[in-house]
Amino acid sequence: DSGVTQTPKHLITATGQRVTLRCSPRSGDLSVYWYQQSLDQGLQFLIQYYNGEERAKGNILERFSAQQFPDLHSELNLSSLELGDSALYFCASSVASGQGHSGNTIYFGEGSWLTVV
Amino acid sequence: DQQVKQNSPSLSVQEGRISILNCDYTNSMFDYFLWYKKYPAEGPTFLISISSIKDKNEDGRFTVFLNKSAKHLSLHIVPSQPGDSAVYFCAASQNYGQNFVFGPGTRLSVLP
């Protein structure tokens, strides 16, 4: 158990709909990352938040948005869903955003399976 | 443009032998690298890391080697065990842990 909690674990929704995925980071972690993994694809970095502020942005579509709340949990909002958005969405957390030579390890949750039909 | 490449989609190794998983990167600004293992329907789990000030890091059966001039790193697993069968992802970051970029993964099968 990594200590990162994601809900829901599974979600089936129709095209055009909007969903929200939730992530609770490990206790003490200030940084949250969102990744997308489609079938047989690698992990695509979407976005990173650090202590409530956006820190880095990857290949995140304009239909997607995220935020990190004062209690450090994060939500990923996916709107106007398309069939191609079906994927496994991972949240990860770490203590910091980047720190010296000791590095910064990120720990992943179990993922949220999204199926768009 | 893939910044982190794992050119072998799959690898099969006999139990007890060495598994060598390779990873290449293109961004010379990357300074911190990690390896993750992923079982089906589970999140990736952290294995081992290495920063650019080192060329080797060892943890039990797992050793990561970094060749900065070649922009190449490798993960050695000795001896390989059937429980090591999983997908292995290489990840790289700048500023020692910001904006991690993952490779596409290599599926390792350790045969009994």
Side-chain angles (χ1 to χ4, degrees), chain A residues 33 35 37 43 45 48 90 97-101 103-106 108-110, chain B residues 32 34 36 38 42-44 46 51 53 89 95-100 102 104:
Chain A
Y33 309 75
Y35 285 84
Q37 185 182 26
L43 292 157
F45 170 68
Q48 178 201 355
F90 286 108
S97 180
Q99 51 181 13
H101 291 170
N104 181 36
T105 300
I106 61 173
F108 283 83
E110 296 289 303
Chain B
Y32 185 60
L34 306 93
Y36 285 82
K38 185 180 182 302
E42 292 185 11
F46 170 72
S51 76
I53 62 168
F89 290 99
N95 301 319
Y96 296 100
Q98 182 167 314
N99 191 8
F100 290 89
F102 281 77

Side-chain angles (χ1 to χ4, degrees), chain B residues 47-60:
Chain B
L47 275 178
I48 193 168
S49 63
I50 189 166
S51 76
S52 58
I53 62 168
K54 295 183 176 180
D55 54 19
K56 176 182 174 182
N57 189 26
E58 192 171 351
D59 184 3

